[in-house]
Short mmCIF file of all heavy atoms in Angstrom, two decimals:
data_model
loop_
_atom_site.label_atom_id
_atom_site.label_comp_id
_atom_site.label_asym_id
_atom_site.label_seq_id
_atom_site.Cartn_x
_atom_site.Cartn_y
_atom_site.Cartn_z
N ALA K 28 -1.91 -22.96 -16.14
CA ALA K 28 -2.99 -23.81 -16.66
C ALA K 28 -2.39 -24.94 -17.47
O ALA K 28 -2.53 -25.03 -18.69
CB ALA K 28 -3.96 -22.98 -17.50
N ASP K 29 -1.67 -25.83 -16.76
CA ASP K 29 -1.11 -27.05 -17.34
C ASP K 29 -2.07 -28.19 -17.01
O ASP K 29 -2.19 -28.59 -15.84
CB ASP K 29 0.27 -27.34 -16.76
CG ASP K 29 1.31 -26.30 -17.14
OD1 ASP K 29 1.00 -25.42 -17.97
OD2 ASP K 29 2.44 -26.35 -16.61
N LEU K 30 -2.74 -28.69 -18.04
CA LEU K 30 -3.83 -29.65 -17.84
C LEU K 30 -3.70 -30.82 -18.80
O LEU K 30 -3.15 -30.70 -19.89
CB LEU K 30 -5.18 -28.97 -18.08
CG LEU K 30 -5.44 -27.65 -17.36
CD1 LEU K 30 -6.70 -26.98 -17.89
CD2 LEU K 30 -5.54 -27.87 -15.85
N VAL K 31 -4.26 -31.96 -18.38
CA VAL K 31 -4.29 -33.15 -19.22
C VAL K 31 -5.70 -33.73 -19.18
O VAL K 31 -6.27 -33.93 -18.10
CB VAL K 31 -3.28 -34.22 -18.75
CG1 VAL K 31 -3.36 -35.46 -19.63
CG2 VAL K 31 -1.86 -33.65 -18.76
N VAL K 32 -6.25 -34.00 -20.35
CA VAL K 32 -7.57 -34.63 -20.45
C VAL K 32 -7.36 -36.12 -20.70
O VAL K 32 -6.66 -36.51 -21.64
CB VAL K 32 -8.41 -34.02 -21.60
CG1 VAL K 32 -9.80 -34.65 -21.63
CG2 VAL K 32 -8.52 -32.50 -21.43
N LEU K 33 -7.98 -36.96 -19.86
CA LEU K 33 -7.82 -38.41 -19.94
C LEU K 33 -9.10 -39.07 -20.42
O LEU K 33 -10.19 -38.51 -20.30
CB LEU K 33 -7.45 -38.99 -18.57
CG LEU K 33 -6.12 -38.53 -17.94
CD1 LEU K 33 -5.95 -39.22 -16.59
CD2 LEU K 33 -4.95 -38.86 -18.85
N SER K 34 -8.93 -40.30 -20.89
CA SER K 34 -10.08 -41.06 -21.39
C SER K 34 -10.98 -41.56 -20.27
O SER K 34 -12.15 -41.89 -20.50
CB SER K 34 -9.60 -42.24 -22.22
OG SER K 34 -8.71 -43.07 -21.47
N ASP K 35 -10.46 -41.63 -19.03
CA ASP K 35 -11.27 -42.10 -17.90
C ASP K 35 -10.61 -41.63 -16.61
O ASP K 35 -9.54 -41.00 -16.63
CB ASP K 35 -11.40 -43.63 -17.93
CG ASP K 35 -12.72 -44.12 -17.31
OD1 ASP K 35 -13.26 -43.41 -16.43
OD2 ASP K 35 -13.20 -45.19 -17.72
N ASN K 36 -11.25 -41.93 -15.50
CA ASN K 36 -10.82 -41.45 -14.20
C ASN K 36 -9.91 -42.47 -13.51
O ASN K 36 -10.38 -43.55 -13.13
CB ASN K 36 -12.05 -41.16 -13.34
CG ASN K 36 -11.69 -40.47 -12.03
OD1 ASN K 36 -10.55 -40.52 -11.57
ND2 ASN K 36 -12.67 -39.84 -11.42
N PRO K 37 -8.64 -42.19 -13.33
CA PRO K 37 -7.74 -43.18 -12.72
C PRO K 37 -8.06 -43.48 -11.27
O PRO K 37 -7.61 -44.49 -10.74
CB PRO K 37 -6.35 -42.52 -12.84
CG PRO K 37 -6.65 -41.05 -12.92
CD PRO K 37 -7.94 -40.94 -13.68
N LEU K 38 -8.85 -42.62 -10.64
CA LEU K 38 -9.18 -42.83 -9.22
C LEU K 38 -10.34 -43.79 -9.04
O LEU K 38 -10.53 -44.33 -7.93
CB LEU K 38 -9.50 -41.49 -8.55
CG LEU K 38 -8.50 -40.35 -8.69
CD1 LEU K 38 -8.89 -39.22 -7.76
CD2 LEU K 38 -7.08 -40.82 -8.42
N THR K 39 -11.13 -44.00 -10.09
CA THR K 39 -12.34 -44.81 -9.90
C THR K 39 -12.37 -46.09 -10.75
O THR K 39 -13.17 -46.98 -10.47
CB THR K 39 -13.59 -43.97 -10.24
OG1 THR K 39 -13.48 -43.48 -11.58
CG2 THR K 39 -13.71 -42.79 -9.29
N ILE K 40 -11.54 -46.18 -11.77
CA ILE K 40 -11.55 -47.39 -12.59
C ILE K 40 -10.81 -48.52 -11.86
O ILE K 40 -10.13 -48.30 -10.86
CB ILE K 40 -10.91 -47.15 -13.97
CG1 ILE K 40 -9.44 -46.73 -13.82
CG2 ILE K 40 -11.69 -46.13 -14.76
CD1 ILE K 40 -8.70 -46.66 -15.14
N ASP K 41 -10.93 -49.72 -12.37
CA ASP K 41 -10.17 -50.86 -11.85
C ASP K 41 -8.68 -50.51 -11.92
O ASP K 41 -8.17 -50.11 -12.98
CB ASP K 41 -10.45 -52.09 -12.72
CG ASP K 41 -9.72 -53.34 -12.25
OD1 ASP K 41 -8.78 -53.24 -11.44
OD2 ASP K 41 -10.09 -54.44 -12.72
N PRO K 42 -7.94 -50.61 -10.80
CA PRO K 42 -6.52 -50.26 -10.81
C PRO K 42 -5.72 -50.96 -11.91
O PRO K 42 -4.74 -50.41 -12.42
CB PRO K 42 -6.05 -50.68 -9.42
CG PRO K 42 -7.27 -50.57 -8.56
CD PRO K 42 -8.41 -50.98 -9.45
N GLN K 43 -6.14 -52.16 -12.29
CA GLN K 43 -5.44 -52.87 -13.35
C GLN K 43 -5.63 -52.20 -14.71
O GLN K 43 -4.83 -52.41 -15.63
CB GLN K 43 -5.91 -54.33 -13.42
CG GLN K 43 -5.34 -55.23 -12.35
CD GLN K 43 -3.84 -55.45 -12.48
OE1 GLN K 43 -3.26 -55.24 -13.53
NE2 GLN K 43 -3.21 -55.88 -11.39
N ALA K 44 -6.66 -51.38 -14.83
CA ALA K 44 -6.95 -50.73 -16.11
C ALA K 44 -6.25 -49.39 -16.26
O ALA K 44 -6.35 -48.76 -17.32
CB ALA K 44 -8.46 -50.55 -16.26
N ILE K 45 -5.53 -48.94 -15.24
CA ILE K 45 -4.87 -47.63 -15.31
C ILE K 45 -3.90 -47.56 -16.48
O ILE K 45 -3.81 -46.53 -17.17
CB ILE K 45 -4.15 -47.32 -13.97
CG1 ILE K 45 -5.20 -47.07 -12.87
CG2 ILE K 45 -3.24 -46.11 -14.11
CD1 ILE K 45 -4.61 -46.90 -11.48
N LYS K 46 -3.22 -48.66 -16.76
CA LYS K 46 -2.24 -48.66 -17.84
C LYS K 46 -2.89 -48.50 -19.22
O LYS K 46 -2.21 -48.18 -20.21
CB LYS K 46 -1.40 -49.93 -17.81
CG LYS K 46 -2.14 -51.21 -18.14
CD LYS K 46 -1.23 -52.41 -18.02
CE LYS K 46 -1.89 -53.70 -18.50
NZ LYS K 46 -3.17 -53.99 -17.86
N ASP K 47 -4.20 -48.71 -19.28
CA ASP K 47 -4.91 -48.61 -20.57
C ASP K 47 -5.52 -47.23 -20.79
O ASP K 47 -6.12 -46.99 -21.84
CB ASP K 47 -6.01 -49.67 -20.62
CG ASP K 47 -5.46 -51.09 -20.45
OD1 ASP K 47 -4.40 -51.36 -21.05
OD2 ASP K 47 -6.06 -51.88 -19.70
N LEU K 48 -5.37 -46.34 -19.82
CA LEU K 48 -5.86 -44.97 -20.00
C LEU K 48 -5.13 -44.29 -21.15
O LEU K 48 -3.97 -44.60 -21.45
CB LEU K 48 -5.65 -44.16 -18.72
CG LEU K 48 -6.53 -44.52 -17.52
CD1 LEU K 48 -6.04 -43.80 -16.27
CD2 LEU K 48 -7.98 -44.16 -17.81
N VAL K 49 -5.80 -43.35 -21.77
CA VAL K 49 -5.24 -42.66 -22.93
C VAL K 49 -5.26 -41.15 -22.69
O VAL K 49 -6.25 -40.60 -22.18
CB VAL K 49 -6.05 -42.99 -24.20
CG1 VAL K 49 -5.57 -42.16 -25.39
CG2 VAL K 49 -5.96 -44.48 -24.51
N VAL K 50 -4.16 -40.49 -23.02
CA VAL K 50 -4.11 -39.04 -23.00
C VAL K 50 -4.83 -38.52 -24.24
O VAL K 50 -4.43 -38.81 -25.37
CB VAL K 50 -2.67 -38.53 -22.97
CG1 VAL K 50 -2.63 -37.00 -23.13
CG2 VAL K 50 -1.99 -38.93 -21.66
N LEU K 51 -5.90 -37.76 -24.04
CA LEU K 51 -6.68 -37.22 -25.16
C LEU K 51 -6.20 -35.82 -25.56
O LEU K 51 -6.27 -35.46 -26.74
CB LEU K 51 -8.16 -37.15 -24.80
CG LEU K 51 -8.82 -38.49 -24.42
CD1 LEU K 51 -10.28 -38.26 -24.03
CD2 LEU K 51 -8.72 -39.48 -25.57
N GLU K 52 -5.73 -35.06 -24.58
CA GLU K 52 -5.30 -33.70 -24.86
C GLU K 52 -4.34 -33.23 -23.78
O GLU K 52 -4.52 -33.55 -22.60
CB GLU K 52 -6.51 -32.76 -24.92
CG GLU K 52 -6.20 -31.34 -25.35
CD GLU K 52 -7.45 -30.49 -25.52
OE1 GLU K 52 -8.58 -31.02 -25.30
OE2 GLU K 52 -7.32 -29.31 -25.86
N THR K 53 -3.31 -32.50 -24.19
CA THR K 53 -2.37 -31.89 -23.25
C THR K 53 -2.36 -30.39 -23.47
O THR K 53 -2.20 -29.92 -24.60
CB THR K 53 -0.96 -32.47 -23.42
OG1 THR K 53 -1.00 -33.89 -23.23
CG2 THR K 53 0.00 -31.86 -22.41
N ILE K 54 -2.53 -29.64 -22.39
CA ILE K 54 -2.67 -28.19 -22.45
C ILE K 54 -1.55 -27.57 -21.63
O ILE K 54 -1.37 -27.91 -20.44
CB ILE K 54 -4.04 -27.77 -21.89
CG1 ILE K 54 -5.17 -28.39 -22.74
CG2 ILE K 54 -4.17 -26.26 -21.82
CD1 ILE K 54 -6.44 -28.65 -21.97
N LYS K 55 -0.78 -26.69 -22.25
CA LYS K 55 0.32 -26.01 -21.55
C LYS K 55 0.01 -24.52 -21.48
O LYS K 55 -0.12 -23.85 -22.50
CB LYS K 55 1.64 -26.24 -22.30
CG LYS K 55 2.83 -25.53 -21.65
CD LYS K 55 3.24 -26.21 -20.35
CE LYS K 55 4.44 -25.53 -19.73
NZ LYS K 55 4.14 -24.84 -18.49
N GLU K 56 -0.19 -24.05 -20.25
CA GLU K 56 -0.50 -22.63 -20.01
C GLU K 56 -1.68 -22.18 -20.87
O GLU K 56 -1.66 -21.13 -21.51
CB GLU K 56 0.74 -21.77 -20.24
CG GLU K 56 1.83 -22.10 -19.23
CD GLU K 56 3.14 -21.37 -19.44
OE1 GLU K 56 3.11 -20.24 -19.96
OE2 GLU K 56 4.19 -21.93 -19.09
N GLY K 57 -2.71 -23.02 -20.87
CA GLY K 57 -3.95 -22.68 -21.53
C GLY K 57 -4.01 -22.99 -23.02
O GLY K 57 -5.07 -22.84 -23.64
#
């Protein structure tokens, strides 16, 4: 259960905005 919560969806936002995404939470093995 290695998971990352992001501020938005990199698959649906403007590709130019991907660099502005923010990691909100990182989860290692739950």
Side-chain angles (χ1 to χ4, degrees):
D29 294 352
L30 309 170
V31 179
V32 183
L33 298 180
S34 56
D35 210 332
N36 188 340
L38 308 189
T39 57
I40 61 172
D41 181 344
Q43 283 292 342
I45 290 174
K46 68 182 187 306
D47 302 318
L48 289 170
V49 174
V50 172
L51 301 177
E52 186 175 359
T53 302
I54 299 151
K55 179 72 179 112
E56 295 175 30

